[in-house]
Amino acid sequence: MPTRFEGGIFDVDGVLVDSPHEKAWRESLRELMQPDRLDVRDRTGWTPEAFTSRVYQEELSGKPRMRGAQAALAYFDIPDDEEGTRAAEYADRKQAMVVRLIEAGDFTPFPDALRFIIAVKDAGIRTATASSSTNTKLILRRIRLDTFASAHHISSPSVRPGLTLLDFIDADVSGRDLAHGKPDPQMFLTAAHELQVKPENSFVVEDAAAGIEAAKAGGMSAIGVARADDADLLARANADIVVTTLDDVDVAALADGRLATRHG
C-alpha cells in the first residue's frame, strides 16, 4: 500500500453523475429496432424490457462508444455486416441522443460524490476525471460546486465563487482517442501521468467492473461504487472496497494510504 494517496481518479457516468448515457443507449437501440428498420428483429434476443440496468452495467458501462455499440448488438444477437454499419449507426444515434439530453439538463450530480471529491481535494489529493465518454466536459461545466457547497453547508478552502466541477479537477482525460479502452489501464495511467503522481499512489473510483479491472491492471487501488445493486460484480473485479455511497469512505484513512470505510 502507498504511504499516502496523492491522486484520486474518478469515472464520471455512474460515479460523479447520474447521466443520461444508459437512457440514450436503451432508447437509441429501441429506435434502431423498429420493425420497418430491422427485418430480423424477431430473431434476436432483444425486447424493450430486456435492456435492463444490469445489461448496461455488465455490457456497456465504461466502454468507448463503438465498443459499447458492438457489445450491445452481440449481447442481443443483433446481426451486423462486415463493415460494422449497424454498430456505427447505433453509436451515432446514441451520441446524438445523449448530447440532446445533456443540453436539456437531463442529468443529476450525485451529492455523495460531490461531497467526497471536495473532501479529497481538501485533503491535499489531486483529482482527475477519466471516462470513455466524449461528453464529460459538457456535463462537468454545467455543475456548479459553489452553489452545491452553499446548499449543503459545506465550508471548503477548495471551493470558490463561480467554480464548476470542470474547473475544480486538476486533469480530465475523458474522451481521449486512446489505443485501448477499459479494462485496459491506459486511461487511468494517462490520468496519473497528467496528475504527476505514481500509479501506486493513486486510487480510482469506479461503478463498472471493467473500470475496477483497469485500475487494478494499472497497479492502482480501487473504490467500487455500487449504485445499481451490483456490489458483487465490483467485488469480483477485485475492488479494494465496495460502498453504496461515497459518504461511507473514510477520507482520513487516505492520508495513511488506506482505503477503508467509516464503519470498519
Side-chain angles (χ1 to χ4, degrees), residues 187 206 210:
M187 182 180 297
E206 262 283 357

Side-chain angles (χ1 to χ4, degrees), residues 180-209:
H180 306 288
K182 304 171 191 177
D184 187 277
Q186 184 179 13
M187 182 180 297
F188 293 147
L189 293 174
T190 301
H193 176 74
E194 296 201 2
L195 289 179
Q196 298 182 322
V197 300
K198 295 178 180 179
E200 59 267 28
N201 292 337
S202 307
F203 65 85
V204 171
V205 188
E206 262 283 357
D207 72 316

Side-chain angles (χ1 to χ4, degrees), residues 129-188:
T129 46
S131 167
S132 60
S133 173
T134 59
N135 307 299
T136 295
K137 286 183 174 62
L138 192 61
I139 293 175
L140 298 186
R141 68 167 55 102
R142 286 169 165 75
I143 299 173
R144 285 279 298 272
L145 274 191
D146 58 335
T147 54
F148 171 82
S150 176
H152 290 258
H153 310 291
I154 297 172
S155 178
S156 165
S158 303
V159 177
R160 64 179 186 274
L163 188 74
T164 70
L165 187 49
L166 184 61
D167 298 325
F168 182 77
I169 57 175
D170 299 293
D172 174 42
V173 298
S174 301
R176 300 276 183 92
D177 187 19
L178 301 175
H180 306 288
K182 304 171 191 177
D184 187 277
Q186 184 179 13
M187 182 180 297
F188 293 147

